[in-house]
Amino acid sequence: MTRPRFLPDNFTLTLVAVVIIASLLPASGQVAMGVGWLTNSAIALLFFLHGAKLSRESVIAGAGHWRLHLLIFGLTFVLFPLLGLALKPLLSPMIGADLYMGMLYLCALPATVQSAIAFTSLARGNIPAAICSAAASSLFGIFLTPLLVTLLLNVHGDGASTLDAIVKISVQLLLPFIAGQIARRWIGAWVGRNRSWLKFVDQGSILLVVYGAFSEAVNEGIWQLIPAWQLAGLVLACCILLTLILVASTVLGKMFGFNQEDRITILFCGSKKSLATGVPMAQVLFAGSTIGVLILPLMLFHQIQLMVCAVLAQRFANRPETVPELMAQVDP
């Protein structure tokens, strides 16, 4: 039987199913802890396998790709805040002053790490550069986000635990990747021969992140915080912001002459905002404020960016393989 053209691919349908399940049966209590542990394990496995798959020369080249990193950081910490300010005449009447403040806070946050790299991997982008860029964004965000919040919202926090954040990122992401690099001499050839199933690790980690994040949003009463009409306006505002940044990422990537793999990395690393970083930071920066309303734009934007980027990544993944990719499969 021929698959209808209007029907999305299996991964997108699975992603929609996961969102529905999270809305109806959100993980809570011990189940949420189990989902969180499973998600962290899947992400650690993902980074370990990428470390085993990538040659040391590729990693060094990714870290040294300064033009790409500079553009991604510019999108994350410059263009996002500028768009937030420029859209005030449109967004403020649409969603109200408090939610608009939340949109500005969203614009000040660093990029995600796990999903940005997973999407880049699924879309067959420049994975070494994505790993370096996403990890650096989270580290720099520890210092830059409070500064941007002060400038945009005129809010002063009590500071953040820089050491704890660095340790968390290192343990969850860098250590498995380094372990994979060390193990590459023994398992690199095996990983190269079986690289076709690595995409299921990418997809599985994305599905776990979506379920966990959406479950947390539902448990926090995301649908009861604001009226339905204002929620619809907020969804539209998040879609407008995401569309603008996706278009800007694509246009700038082409304008500066990056190849297809680099443009994919710029698209997925430059358009993300981190829920995992944003919520703890909000508890410090907005002490005494109504945190729930302020982080609601971030919660919605996070879900929307995952859904949209999953579709985009799958479309990129379905493109024909290039000659270098085919040669890499022969000589891992």
Side-chain angles (χ1 to χ4, degrees):
M1 182 177 178
T2 304
R3 186 185 185 92
R5 296 186 62 181
F6 64 85
L7 193 65
D9 59 85
N10 291 335
F11 179 62
T12 303
L13 292 175
T14 305
L15 196 66
V16 173
V18 167
V19 171
I20 294 174
I21 292 172
S23 298
L24 299 176
L25 299 171
S28 61
Q30 294 296 322
V31 176
M33 292 179 60
V35 171
W37 180 87
L38 184 60
T39 301
N40 290 336
S41 299
I43 292 168
L45 176 61
L46 173 66
F47 275 78
F48 175 80
L49 291 174
H50 281 313
K53 182 177 67 173
L54 296 173
S55 67
R56 197 156 302 172
E57 293 76 12
S58 298
V59 175
I60 295 174
H65 206 341
W66 64 269
R67 290 178 63 249
L68 180 142
H69 300 318
L70 189 61
L71 178 54
I72 291 175
F73 296 157
L75 291 168
T76 303
F77 296 114
V78 179
L79 184 58
F80 254 111
L82 290 178
L83 285 175
L85 292 174
L87 290 172
K88 181 177 181 179
L90 174 65
L91 299 186
S92 189
M94 181 190 303
I95 60 178
D98 290 338
L99 287 176
Y100 174 70
M101 294 279 284
M103 290 293 293
L104 289 179
Y105 175 61
L106 154 70
C107 292
L109 289 171
T112 62
V113 178
Q114 300 97 327
S115 62
I117 296 170
F119 283 132
T120 300
S121 175
L122 179 61
R124 307 203 326 263
N126 188 334
I127 301 172
I131 292 172
C132 297
S133 182
S137 177
S138 290
L139 291 174
F140 292 157
I142 296 171
F143 306 99
L144 293 178
T145 294
L147 175 61
L148 288 173
V149 167
T150 300
L151 295 175
L152 296 174
L153 286 77
N154 195 28
V155 174
H156 299 271
D158 299 325
S161 180
T162 303
L163 181 60
D164 287 346
I166 293 176
V167 169
K168 183 177 180 180
I169 292 173
S170 299
V171 170
Q172 188 176 6
L173 305 178
L174 295 182
L175 286 184
F177 182 80
I178 293 172
Q181 281 279 289
I182 295 173
R184 173 177 166 78
R185 60 181 299 182
W186 298 288
I187 66 173
W190 178 85
V191 171
R193 290 193 302 269
N194 296 273
R195 66 175 61 232
S196 59
W197 61 266
L198 286 181
K199 71 174 184 179
F200 295 109
V201 180
D202 294 334
Q203 293 177 349
S205 63
I206 293 171
L207 294 175
L208 285 170
V209 169
V210 170
Y211 178 74
F214 208 88
S215 293
E216 184 176 356
V218 172
N219 289 330
E220 290 293 328
I222 188 173
W223 310 126
Q224 287 80 40
L225 290 176
I226 57 175
W229 65 269
Q230 204 169 17
L231 180 62
L234 181 58
V235 171
L236 179 59
C238 291
C239 289
I240 291 172
L241 180 61
L242 180 60
T243 299
L244 291 175
I245 202 68
L246 287 174
V247 171
S249 301
T250 302
V251 171
L252 291 174
K254 292 181 178 179
M255 183 183 302
F256 288 104
F258 290 100
N259 62 31
Q260 176 80 330
E261 289 72 23
D262 287 345
R263 294 201 302 269
I264 289 173
T265 303
I266 293 167
L267 182 71
F268 290 120
C269 292
S271 62
K272 296 287 192 303
K273 288 296 180 177
S274 176
L275 180 69
T277 302
V279 172
M281 280 189 173
Q283 295 174 345
V284 175
L285 296 173
F286 303 111
S289 303
T290 308
I291 297 177
V293 175
L294 287 171
I295 66 172
L296 183 57
L298 171 61
M299 295 165 71
L300 279 177
F301 187 87
H302 185 76
Q303 315 308 326
I304 294 170
Q305 74 182 9
L306 289 175
M307 296 290 291
V308 172
C309 289
V311 175
L312 292 175
Q314 192 64 42
R315 291 189 176 184
F316 280 119
N318 292 333
R319 76 187 190 277
E321 291 187 322
T322 62
V323 173
E325 288 175 324
L326 293 173
M327 293 179 64
Q329 295 183 24
V330 177
D331 182 21

